[in-house]
């Protein structure tokens, strides 16, 4: 088992949201220019309010990527019957650049978990060609697998996730 995939398997990202895949590029997700996302680390919702910088390291400028951010734990992790909620989609990201060079298809939505600890997953797919991705009809009951299939994206090339839970006044101090 790849050391890169192990936290995704333990966190049930692979299985519940994604099929097993072989990471072929490196994706670096950073909030507020200095808080890098590592699998399973926790962030306060206030720390992830603004969209992150998502760098694609690997591929080349002729390769294009699609980024999907989703929350599979809606409304709560013990009974996620609304799985998944879509938070962000950026397409046509040139390799070796970041998501700001892509085309934002679904605007970034700040994570606001109400019940329990939620996983927020960033998934990167290599596109077969430019401008080939269609936006989903709804952000609710989204399926990353189905979206990838409908847009002929294949398996992911990178993924990372963080945890967040509702921020109470006491936790903000």
């Amino acid at each position: 088992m790849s050391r890169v995939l192990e936290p995704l398997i333990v966190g049930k990202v692979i299985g519940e949201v994604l099929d097993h895949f072989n990471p072929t590029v490196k994706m670096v997700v950073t909030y507020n220019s200095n808080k890098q996302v590592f699998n399973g680390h926790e962030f306060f919702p206030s720390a992830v309010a603004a969209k992150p910088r998502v760098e694609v390291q690997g591929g080349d400028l002729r390769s294009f990527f699609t980024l999907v951010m989703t929350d599979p734990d809606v409304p709560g992790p013990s009974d996620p019957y609304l799985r998944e909620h879509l938070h962000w989609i950026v397409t046509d990201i040139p390799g070796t650049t970041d998501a700001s060079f892509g085309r934002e298809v679904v605007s970034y939505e700040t994570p606001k978990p109400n019940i329990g600890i939620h996983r927020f997953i960033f998934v990167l797919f290599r596109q077969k060609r430019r401008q080939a991705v269609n936006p989903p009809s709804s952000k609710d009951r989204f399926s990353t697998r189905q979206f990838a299939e409908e847009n002929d994206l294949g398996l992911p090339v990178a993924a990372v996730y963080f945890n967040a839970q509702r921020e109470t006044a006491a936790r903000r101090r």
Side-chain angles (χ1 to χ4, degrees), residues 20-146:
H20 200 279
F21 69 96
N22 185 22
T24 55
V25 299
K26 184 175 181 187
M27 173 175 58
V28 179
V29 180
T30 311
Y31 280 96
N32 301 325
S33 74
N34 65 349
K35 293 185 174 96
Q36 186 174 339
V37 174
F38 293 101
N39 286 318
H41 287 203
E42 186 169 345
F43 284 95
F44 289 125
S46 59
V48 295
K51 76 172 99 168
R53 177 179 170 88
V54 180
E55 296 173 75
V56 178
Q57 299 175 349
D60 54 53
L61 288 171
R62 292 184 309 273
S63 300
F64 291 93
F65 297 88
T66 291
L67 172 72
V68 174
M69 179 187 176
T70 183
D71 174 0
D73 300 317
V74 178
S78 62
D79 185 20
Y81 63 89
L82 294 175
R83 173 176 292 164
E84 301 164 44
H85 181 78
L86 178 63
H87 280 265
W88 197 26
I89 294 180
V90 182
T91 66
D92 299 331
I93 304 166
T96 73
T97 67
D98 66 75
S100 67
F101 289 92
R103 185 170 61 98
E104 194 172 61
V105 174
V106 174
S107 298
Y108 182 79
E109 180 182 327
T110 300
K112 292 180 184 153
N114 284 322
I115 305 164
I117 299 170
H118 288 236
R119 296 166 292 169
F120 292 90
I121 305 165
F122 295 91
V123 186
L124 192 68
F125 296 94
R126 185 183 306 266
Q127 294 172 214
K128 294 198 171 38
R129 60 194 175 285
R130 272 187 91 161
Q131 299 178 338
V133 177
N134 297 311
S137 56
S138 173
K139 292 174 96 174
D140 295 316
R141 297 182 196 261
F142 178 78
S143 167
T144 301
R145 281 185 182 103
Q146 186 177 339

